[in-house]
């Protein structure tokens, strides 16, 4: 592989710095550690044959999970594709597979490790495949916020809820404080459950999913929600604001979905009369409000499968998925909501060279890139994940 690091200077190691093609280290971030190994060249014409042969040689010992945002070249080798909820369920339902190769991002592989048996190993083909949203909530910051809520005497009323897109230690924090994990396909059910346990929710780390669910699906007012900014003293909020709020939203967002704007919606409606606008709930509140439909990736797929032939759809989610859906439904006009928005750079790190390398290492008896959550964190996080899996 070309050593791109020799021609480009890596930005300083902030949690949000992007790592180059699986090389380098960002210990402060959710994704964590180096990605070792000599990858096959992306130009190798035998990559598909090599992945096919390695997967066949491993047989039932390996199970490959693929998130909908993965590249086609990787998705073709997935035994199951899904949104983050379905993939968590699938990981938990495969106790016989020795190796779970997770084609997705770090927090998903951590959740799979927590939900699988101790003898199974979960592998992330590129350890630099993190999630900028997950990196926006760091345990120390969250504990500082919680201590402040304790000083105000409001923690008894608060149920912490974390989006699946968070590190295992944030899920552990939520588990030990009687909260629950949610995904974009069950956020309303998780919030319904939470408001049966308490009168306030502390929602991490995606402000948009929290706000969109509370306001658009549960009838809350925007004023019921406050935004806790971990970079400001006391979150940038007064005691009164925290005491009166029903939803305390962490100031985090998805760097892909956060780029869709209300202008994208207006522009496509003008350009394509009768277009249906379908967006993911990680989009900003004004965008979701202006859309016709909102839902998780699994919802988006089902909506487009069921759409009538000839109908037009502008879809606000990651590009790999939208492109695949457009190709799968040539009788429908399926387009990207905003032509300027790009792929999720971290999802895209899992490419065919990384998958080939991973599978061939396994065939050779070496187990690369194992994702392991320590026992205490896993135990506490599992409580919050199991609560999610048990939601009605
Ligand atoms: P879902 O898989 O829950 O739809 O979430 C999308 C996402 O951003 C995953 O990182
Ligand atoms: Fe994270 Fe957004 Fe990428 Fe999902 S699409 S992995 S939330 S940055």
């Amino acid at each position: 592989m070309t050593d791109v690091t020799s021609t480009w200077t890596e930005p300083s190691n902030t949690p949000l710095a992007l790592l180059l093609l699986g090389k380098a280290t960002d210990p402060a971030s959710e994704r964590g550690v180096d990605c070792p190994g000599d990858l096959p060249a992306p130009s190798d014409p035998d990559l598909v044959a090599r992945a096919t042969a390695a997967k066949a040689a491993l047989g039932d010992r390996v199970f490959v999970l693929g998130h909908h945002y993965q590249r086609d070249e990787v998705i073709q080798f997935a035994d199951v594709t899904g949104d983050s909820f379905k993939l968590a369920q699938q990981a938990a339902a495969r106790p016989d597979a020795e190796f779970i190769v997770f084609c997705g991002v770090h927090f998903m592989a951590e959740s799979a490790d927590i939900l699988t048996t101790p003898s199974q190993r979960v592998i992330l083909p590129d350890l630099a495949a993190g999630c900028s949203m997950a990196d926006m909530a760091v345990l120390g910051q969250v504990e500082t916020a919680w201590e402040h809520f304790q000083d105000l005497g409001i923690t008894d009323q608060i149920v912490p809820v974390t989006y699946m897109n968070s590190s295992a230690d944030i899920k552990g924090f939520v588990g030990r404080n009687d909260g629950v994990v949610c995904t974009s396909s069950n956020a309303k059910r998780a919030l319904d459950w939470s408001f049966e346990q308490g009168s306030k929710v502390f929602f991490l780390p995606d402000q948009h999913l929290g706000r969109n669910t509370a306001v658009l699906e549960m009838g809350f007012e925007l004023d019921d929600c406050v935004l806790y900014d971990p970079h400001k003293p006391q979150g940038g909020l007064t005691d009164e604001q925290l005491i009166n709020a029903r939803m305390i939203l962490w100031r985090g967002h998805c760097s892909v979905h956060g780029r869709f704007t209300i202008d994208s919606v207006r522009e496509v409606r003008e350009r394509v009369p009768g277009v249906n606008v379908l967006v993911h709930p990680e989009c900003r509140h004004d965008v979701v409000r202006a859309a016709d439909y909102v839902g998780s990736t699994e919802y988006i797929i089902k909506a487009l499968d069921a759409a009538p032939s000839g109908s037009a759809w502008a879809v606000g989610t990651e590009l790999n998925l939208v492109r695949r859906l457009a190709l799968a439904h040539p009788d429908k006009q399926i387009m990207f909501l905003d032509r300027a928005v790009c792929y999720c750079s971290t999802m895209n790190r899992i490419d065919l060279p990384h998958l080939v390398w991973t599978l061939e290492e396994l065939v050779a008896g070496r187990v690369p890139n194992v994702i392991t959550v320590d026992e205490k964190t896993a135990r506490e996080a599992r409580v919050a994940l199991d609560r999610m899996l048990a939601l009605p």
Side-chain angles (χ1 to χ4, degrees), residues 67 69 83-84 107-108 163 165 184 280 282 296-297 347:
H67 188 270
Y69 294 165
D83 64 4
S84 45
F107 69 79
M108 296 179 181
Y163 190 22
N165 303 21
S184 56
H280 194 280
E282 287 174 17
S296 74
T297 48
M347 281 276 179

Side-chain angles (χ1 to χ4, degrees), residues 69 105 107 130-133 165 254-257 282 318 344 346-347:
Y69 294 165
V105 288
F107 69 79
C131 165
S132 54
M133 177 200 290
N165 303 21
C254 165
S255 42
V256 176
H257 293 91
E282 287 174 17
E318 209 271 347
C344 171
T346 47
M347 281 276 179

Side-chain angles (χ1 to χ4, degrees), residues 5 8-20 24-26 31 349:
T5 52
W8 196 81
T9 312
E10 176 78 10
S12 63
N13 262 353
T14 70
L16 303 183
L18 291 179
L19 303 184
L20 286 178
T25 304
D26 186 1
R31 51 190 168 274
R349 286 178 189 278

Side-chain angles (χ1 to χ4, degrees), residues 66-69 75 80-90 163 183-186 189 257 278-281 294-306 315 317 321 324-325 329:
H67 188 270
H68 292 311
Y69 294 165
I75 280 289
V80 166
T81 60
D83 64 4
S84 45
F85 180 67
K86 183 171 162 193
L87 295 180
Q89 279 181 322
Q90 285 291 321
Y163 190 22
T183 71
S184 56
S185 54
N186 59 24
R189 279 180 285 145
H257 293 91
L278 168 59
V279 301
H280 194 280
V294 54
S296 74
T297 48
E298 207 63 25
Y299 171 92
I300 289 171
I301 292 167
K302 287 190 185 131
L304 292 177
D305 285 348
V315 187
T317 194
L321 175 59
R324 202 153 43 235
L325 286 168
H329 297 287

